[in-house]
Amino acid sequence: MKNRLTIAIQKNGRLSDQSRDLIKKSGINFTAKGDKLLAKSNNLPIDILFVRSDDIPSLVSNGDADIAIVGENILIEKSLFKKTNINKVLELGFSKCRLSFAAPQNFSMKSVKNKKIATSYPNTVKKYLLDNKITANVVNIHGSVELTPYIGMADCICDLVSSGATLEANNLKELEVILESQAVLIQNKKLNKTKTLIAEKVISRMNGVINAIESKYVMLNADVKNISAICKLLPGSESPTIIPLENNQKVAIHALCQEPIFWETMEKLKSNGASSILVMPVEKIL
Ligand code: PRT
């Protein structure tokens, strides 16, 4: 479709709920019915494709999808050792994980040489081995990677880790992280003019949603003499608004803080003379 932007997201899995949520919060209305693989937005010229994560880089590179949400681990794996037409445009801050070597307890990174490494990320592992001048045998497997040392199929593994619970449950220890990953927004490099305009709008809105997640709007009252000390304590705020109050020794300070506000920050504000401290969530930032 020449004049409708196609966004590909994971159909079922770890990325699917947050990808749908991000699209909806960006003001793109759609209804995804049952097992349908395509949804048409009813308020913007946008179609949403529900596909497997693994297929997303090639769909975007070939122009079958224009933009997409995918784990950076998949993007890197599918882009190594070949040319693609993909730009990474935004880090989305969710589905964070790491690709790590792991092995049974008595194994160390020094033992990897000439051993069998099971992984679903053969290109990324081969690139790491090349860069570090290590010779080893990479065994490609799509699931249950953690089982392979136990059944003798491999000596160690290189797989995604988030909490570390799966490694622990399989008596494996993490040896070295070779890649940090999170969900990213990617775009085909050769969009036409109409699609570029729609993509720019979507990217700007998604950026606004992502920036708002950590941001808080803070309102408090303070004595005039404490303004400078209090403003220094407001994390990630550019230029707070200072509003005089009826009692002219006092002001209201309002600030958009683009970093988390912890209880400790509020306690420090209070001990520096702030009162009536309100911390409110921010939904969107443009
Ligand atoms: O859609 P498709 O079927 O192609 O993809 P898939 O089956 O690989 O999807 P899915 O839903 O498993 O993962 C989608 C994406 O989520 C991945 O590409 C990563 O970017 C991201 N992600 C984040 C993870 C994890 N965290 C994760 N922990 N993907 C997989 N895991 C697995 C890991 O492989 C291991 O088996 O979870 C286990 C480890 O988890 P912990 O918490 O025990 O360490």
Short mmCIF file of all heavy atoms in Angstrom, two decimals, residues 101-108 149 155-157 167 170-175:
data_model
loop_
_atom_site.label_atom_id
_atom_site.label_comp_id
_atom_site.label_asym_id
_atom_site.label_seq_id
_atom_site.Cartn_x
_atom_site.Cartn_y
_atom_site.Cartn_z
N PHE A 101 26.95 -15.69 27.75
CA PHE A 101 27.49 -17.04 27.83
C PHE A 101 27.16 -17.60 29.20
O PHE A 101 27.21 -16.85 30.20
CB PHE A 101 29.01 -17.02 27.67
CG PHE A 101 29.48 -17.05 26.26
CD1 PHE A 101 29.74 -15.88 25.56
CD2 PHE A 101 29.65 -18.27 25.61
CE1 PHE A 101 30.16 -15.92 24.24
CE2 PHE A 101 30.08 -18.32 24.29
CZ PHE A 101 30.33 -17.14 23.60
N ALA A 102 26.82 -18.87 29.27
CA ALA A 102 26.57 -19.52 30.56
C ALA A 102 27.01 -20.97 30.45
O ALA A 102 27.05 -21.54 29.35
CB ALA A 102 25.10 -19.42 30.93
N ALA A 103 27.35 -21.54 31.59
CA ALA A 103 27.89 -22.90 31.56
C ALA A 103 27.72 -23.57 32.92
O ALA A 103 27.44 -22.89 33.90
CB ALA A 103 29.37 -22.85 31.19
N PRO A 104 27.95 -24.89 32.99
CA PRO A 104 27.94 -25.56 34.29
C PRO A 104 29.00 -24.95 35.21
O PRO A 104 29.96 -24.33 34.74
CB PRO A 104 28.28 -27.02 33.95
CG PRO A 104 27.87 -27.16 32.52
CD PRO A 104 28.10 -25.83 31.88
N GLN A 105 28.82 -25.15 36.51
CA GLN A 105 29.61 -24.45 37.53
C GLN A 105 31.13 -24.49 37.34
O GLN A 105 31.79 -23.49 37.59
CB GLN A 105 29.26 -25.00 38.93
CG GLN A 105 27.76 -24.89 39.28
CD GLN A 105 27.23 -23.45 39.21
OE1 GLN A 105 27.93 -22.51 39.51
NE2 GLN A 105 25.96 -23.29 38.80
N ASN A 106 31.71 -25.62 36.89
CA ASN A 106 33.18 -25.71 36.84
C ASN A 106 33.79 -25.13 35.56
O ASN A 106 34.97 -25.27 35.30
CB ASN A 106 33.61 -27.18 36.99
CG ASN A 106 32.92 -28.06 35.97
OD1 ASN A 106 32.07 -27.58 35.20
ND2 ASN A 106 33.25 -29.34 35.95
N PHE A 107 33.00 -24.45 34.74
CA PHE A 107 33.43 -23.97 33.42
C PHE A 107 33.74 -22.47 33.53
O PHE A 107 33.04 -21.74 34.22
CB PHE A 107 32.26 -24.19 32.47
CG PHE A 107 32.60 -24.27 31.01
CD1 PHE A 107 32.82 -25.49 30.39
CD2 PHE A 107 32.68 -23.11 30.26
CE1 PHE A 107 33.10 -25.56 29.05
CE2 PHE A 107 32.95 -23.17 28.90
CZ PHE A 107 33.16 -24.40 28.30
N SER A 108 34.78 -21.98 32.82
CA SER A 108 35.01 -20.52 32.81
C SER A 108 35.12 -20.06 31.35
O SER A 108 35.22 -20.89 30.44
CB SER A 108 36.30 -20.19 33.55
OG SER A 108 37.40 -20.49 32.73
N PRO A 149 23.67 -28.41 27.75
CA PRO A 149 24.85 -28.97 28.44
C PRO A 149 24.48 -30.25 29.19
O PRO A 149 25.26 -31.20 29.23
CB PRO A 149 25.25 -27.86 29.42
CG PRO A 149 24.69 -26.62 28.85
CD PRO A 149 23.40 -27.03 28.20
N ASP A 155 28.78 -27.86 25.36
CA ASP A 155 29.52 -27.69 26.62
C ASP A 155 29.03 -26.46 27.37
O ASP A 155 29.08 -26.42 28.60
CB ASP A 155 31.01 -27.52 26.30
CG ASP A 155 31.54 -28.71 25.54
OD1 ASP A 155 31.63 -29.80 26.15
OD2 ASP A 155 31.84 -28.58 24.33
N CYS A 156 28.64 -25.45 26.62
CA CYS A 156 28.13 -24.22 27.25
C CYS A 156 27.09 -23.62 26.31
O CYS A 156 26.85 -24.14 25.22
CB CYS A 156 29.27 -23.24 27.52
SG CYS A 156 30.09 -22.70 26.03
N ILE A 157 26.46 -22.52 26.75
CA ILE A 157 25.40 -21.91 25.94
C ILE A 157 25.62 -20.40 25.82
O ILE A 157 26.40 -19.82 26.60
CB ILE A 157 23.98 -22.16 26.52
CG1 ILE A 157 23.82 -21.44 27.88
CG2 ILE A 157 23.71 -23.64 26.67
CD1 ILE A 157 22.37 -21.35 28.35
N LEU A 167 18.62 -19.89 34.24
CA LEU A 167 19.99 -20.41 34.36
C LEU A 167 20.13 -21.15 35.68
O LEU A 167 20.64 -22.28 35.73
CB LEU A 167 21.01 -19.27 34.30
CG LEU A 167 21.20 -18.56 32.95
CD1 LEU A 167 22.32 -17.53 33.07
CD2 LEU A 167 21.51 -19.55 31.84
N ASN A 170 18.62 -24.49 35.93
CA ASN A 170 19.30 -25.52 35.14
C ASN A 170 20.77 -25.68 35.54
O ASN A 170 21.57 -26.19 34.75
CB ASN A 170 19.17 -25.19 33.65
CG ASN A 170 17.76 -25.44 33.15
OD1 ASN A 170 17.36 -26.58 32.94
ND2 ASN A 170 16.99 -24.37 33.03
N ASN A 171 21.10 -25.19 36.75
CA ASN A 171 22.47 -25.31 37.29
C ASN A 171 23.53 -24.71 36.38
O ASN A 171 24.60 -25.28 36.21
CB ASN A 171 22.82 -26.78 37.56
CG ASN A 171 22.01 -27.32 38.71
OD1 ASN A 171 21.82 -26.61 39.71
ND2 ASN A 171 21.49 -28.52 38.56
N LEU A 172 23.20 -23.58 35.78
CA LEU A 172 24.18 -22.92 34.92
C LEU A 172 24.55 -21.58 35.54
O LEU A 172 23.72 -20.94 36.19
CB LEU A 172 23.59 -22.70 33.52
CG LEU A 172 23.20 -23.97 32.75
CD1 LEU A 172 22.43 -23.61 31.49
CD2 LEU A 172 24.44 -24.79 32.41
N LYS A 173 25.80 -21.13 35.33
CA LYS A 173 26.17 -19.81 35.83
C LYS A 173 26.47 -18.89 34.65
O LYS A 173 27.02 -19.34 33.62
CB LYS A 173 27.35 -19.89 36.81
CG LYS A 173 28.63 -20.31 36.17
CD LYS A 173 29.82 -20.20 37.11
CE LYS A 173 31.05 -20.73 36.38
NZ LYS A 173 32.22 -20.97 37.09
N GLU A 174 26.14 -17.64 34.82
CA GLU A 174 26.37 -16.65 33.76
C GLU A 174 27.86 -16.32 33.74
O GLU A 174 28.44 -16.01 34.78
CB GLU A 174 25.54 -15.40 34.06
CG GLU A 174 25.41 -14.48 32.88
CD GLU A 174 24.38 -13.38 33.14
OE1 GLU A 174 23.67 -13.43 34.17
OE2 GLU A 174 24.30 -12.47 32.30
N LEU A 175 28.49 -16.39 32.54
CA LEU A 175 29.94 -16.15 32.47
C LEU A 175 30.25 -14.75 31.93
O LEU A 175 31.06 -14.04 32.49
CB LEU A 175 30.60 -17.18 31.55
CG LEU A 175 30.53 -18.64 31.95
CD1 LEU A 175 31.10 -19.52 30.85
CD2 LEU A 175 31.29 -18.86 33.25
#
